[in-house]
mmCIF file of all heavy atoms in Angstrom:
data_model
loop_
_atom_site.group_PDB
_atom_site.id
_atom_site.type_symbol
_atom_site.label_atom_id
_atom_site.label_comp_id
_atom_site.label_asym_id
_atom_site.label_seq_id
_atom_site.Cartn_x
_atom_site.Cartn_y
_atom_site.Cartn_z
ATOM 1 N N ARG A 3 -17.331 -69.915 15.129
ATOM 2 C CA ARG A 3 -18.378 -69.110 15.765
ATOM 3 C C ARG A 3 -17.894 -68.665 17.151
ATOM 4 O O ARG A 3 -17.404 -69.490 17.927
ATOM 5 C CB ARG A 3 -19.651 -69.945 15.884
ATOM 6 C CG ARG A 3 -20.853 -69.154 16.340
ATOM 7 C CD ARG A 3 -22.108 -70.007 16.368
ATOM 8 N NE ARG A 3 -22.655 -70.280 15.053
ATOM 9 C CZ ARG A 3 -22.787 -71.496 14.514
ATOM 10 N NH1 ARG A 3 -22.415 -72.564 15.179
ATOM 11 N NH2 ARG A 3 -23.300 -71.649 13.309
ATOM 12 N N ALA A 4 -18.071 -67.375 17.421
ATOM 13 C CA ALA A 4 -17.661 -66.836 18.730
ATOM 14 C C ALA A 4 -18.863 -66.260 19.449
ATOM 15 O O ALA A 4 -19.840 -65.836 18.828
ATOM 16 C CB ALA A 4 -16.615 -65.742 18.535
ATOM 17 N N VAL A 5 -18.746 -66.249 20.779
ATOM 18 C CA VAL A 5 -19.787 -65.642 21.609
ATOM 19 C C VAL A 5 -19.182 -64.441 22.342
ATOM 20 O O VAL A 5 -18.097 -64.540 22.914
ATOM 21 C CB VAL A 5 -20.329 -66.658 22.640
ATOM 22 C CG1 VAL A 5 -21.237 -65.973 23.655
ATOM 23 C CG2 VAL A 5 -21.098 -67.773 21.938
ATOM 24 N N CYS A 6 -19.879 -63.312 22.275
ATOM 25 C CA CYS A 6 -19.525 -62.136 23.095
ATOM 26 C C CYS A 6 -20.587 -62.034 24.191
ATOM 27 O O CYS A 6 -21.690 -61.537 23.938
ATOM 28 C CB CYS A 6 -19.558 -60.847 22.269
ATOM 29 S SG CYS A 6 -18.245 -60.663 21.086
ATOM 30 N N PRO A 7 -20.283 -62.521 25.391
ATOM 31 C CA PRO A 7 -21.300 -62.505 26.439
ATOM 32 C C PRO A 7 -21.217 -61.236 27.290
ATOM 33 O O PRO A 7 -20.173 -60.594 27.366
ATOM 34 C CB PRO A 7 -20.907 -63.715 27.295
ATOM 35 C CG PRO A 7 -19.414 -63.743 27.198
ATOM 36 C CD PRO A 7 -19.023 -63.155 25.865
ATOM 37 N N GLY A 8 -22.324 -60.895 27.928
ATOM 38 C CA GLY A 8 -22.292 -59.751 28.837
ATOM 39 C C GLY A 8 -23.676 -59.344 29.272
ATOM 40 O O GLY A 8 -24.675 -59.949 28.872
ATOM 41 N N SER A 9 -23.716 -58.301 30.109
ATOM 42 C CA SER A 9 -24.997 -57.773 30.567
ATOM 43 C C SER A 9 -25.532 -56.727 29.599
ATOM 44 O O SER A 9 -26.747 -56.591 29.431
ATOM 45 C CB SER A 9 -24.845 -57.139 31.955
ATOM 46 O OG SER A 9 -24.361 -58.093 32.866
ATOM 47 N N PHE A 10 -24.656 -55.944 29.020
ATOM 48 C CA PHE A 10 -25.035 -54.931 28.016
ATOM 49 C C PHE A 10 -26.177 -54.045 28.509
ATOM 50 O O PHE A 10 -27.167 -53.847 27.807
ATOM 51 C CB PHE A 10 -25.403 -55.600 26.680
ATOM 52 C CG PHE A 10 -24.311 -56.454 26.105
ATOM 53 C CD1 PHE A 10 -24.377 -57.849 26.167
ATOM 54 C CD2 PHE A 10 -23.195 -55.879 25.507
ATOM 55 C CE1 PHE A 10 -23.358 -58.647 25.654
ATOM 56 C CE2 PHE A 10 -22.171 -56.667 24.975
ATOM 57 C CZ PHE A 10 -22.263 -58.051 25.052
ATOM 58 N N ASP A 11 -26.023 -53.537 29.736
ATOM 59 C CA ASP A 11 -27.096 -52.724 30.343
ATOM 60 C C ASP A 11 -26.623 -51.301 30.588
ATOM 61 O O ASP A 11 -26.425 -50.909 31.747
ATOM 62 C CB ASP A 11 -27.544 -53.388 31.656
ATOM 63 C CG ASP A 11 -28.733 -52.665 32.269
ATOM 64 O OD1 ASP A 11 -29.570 -52.173 31.498
ATOM 65 O OD2 ASP A 11 -28.824 -52.582 33.506
ATOM 66 N N PRO A 12 -26.453 -50.488 29.546
ATOM 67 C CA PRO A 12 -26.669 -50.753 28.129
ATOM 68 C C PRO A 12 -25.338 -51.001 27.401
ATOM 69 O O PRO A 12 -24.276 -50.875 27.988
ATOM 70 C CB PRO A 12 -27.268 -49.419 27.655
ATOM 71 C CG PRO A 12 -26.520 -48.401 28.466
ATOM 72 C CD PRO A 12 -26.191 -49.044 29.799
ATOM 73 N N VAL A 13 -25.468 -51.325 26.100
ATOM 74 C CA VAL A 13 -24.270 -51.497 25.264
ATOM 75 C C VAL A 13 -23.551 -50.150 25.146
ATOM 76 O O VAL A 13 -24.193 -49.101 25.049
ATOM 77 C CB VAL A 13 -24.652 -52.060 23.867
ATOM 78 C CG1 VAL A 13 -25.577 -51.129 23.102
ATOM 79 C CG2 VAL A 13 -23.409 -52.374 23.040
ATOM 80 N N THR A 14 -22.212 -50.194 25.191
ATOM 81 C CA THR A 14 -21.398 -48.972 25.078
ATOM 82 C C THR A 14 -20.601 -49.011 23.764
ATOM 83 O O THR A 14 -20.550 -50.049 23.086
ATOM 84 C CB THR A 14 -20.385 -48.867 26.238
ATOM 85 O OG1 THR A 14 -19.443 -49.948 26.095
ATOM 86 C CG2 THR A 14 -21.069 -48.940 27.590
ATOM 87 N N ARG A 15 -19.940 -47.900 23.475
ATOM 88 C CA ARG A 15 -19.067 -47.878 22.290
ATOM 89 C C ARG A 15 -17.892 -48.840 22.473
ATOM 90 O O ARG A 15 -17.355 -49.359 21.503
ATOM 91 C CB ARG A 15 -18.538 -46.467 22.047
ATOM 92 C CG ARG A 15 -19.600 -45.494 21.548
ATOM 93 C CD ARG A 15 -18.968 -44.152 21.199
ATOM 94 N NE ARG A 15 -19.972 -43.146 20.944
ATOM 95 C CZ ARG A 15 -20.466 -42.872 19.734
ATOM 96 N NH1 ARG A 15 -20.021 -43.520 18.676
ATOM 97 N NH2 ARG A 15 -21.383 -41.935 19.580
ATOM 98 N N GLY A 16 -17.506 -49.077 23.721
ATOM 99 C CA GLY A 16 -16.435 -50.050 24.003
ATOM 100 C C GLY A 16 -16.872 -51.451 23.613
ATOM 101 O O GLY A 16 -16.130 -52.186 22.946
ATOM 102 N N HIS A 17 -18.101 -51.840 24.011
ATOM 103 C CA HIS A 17 -18.637 -53.150 23.595
ATOM 104 C C HIS A 17 -18.678 -53.246 22.072
ATOM 105 O O HIS A 17 -18.285 -54.261 21.491
ATOM 106 C CB HIS A 17 -20.089 -53.324 24.080
ATOM 107 C CG HIS A 17 -20.269 -53.466 25.561
ATOM 108 N ND1 HIS A 17 -21.178 -52.733 26.265
ATOM 109 C CD2 HIS A 17 -19.672 -54.293 26.461
ATOM 110 C CE1 HIS A 17 -21.151 -53.088 27.543
ATOM 111 N NE2 HIS A 17 -20.237 -54.031 27.692
#
Side-chain angles (χ1 to χ4, degrees):
R3 188 177 285 118
V5 170
C6 289
S9 302
F10 303 105
D11 185 35
V13 61
T14 66
R15 289 186 190 268
H17 291 131

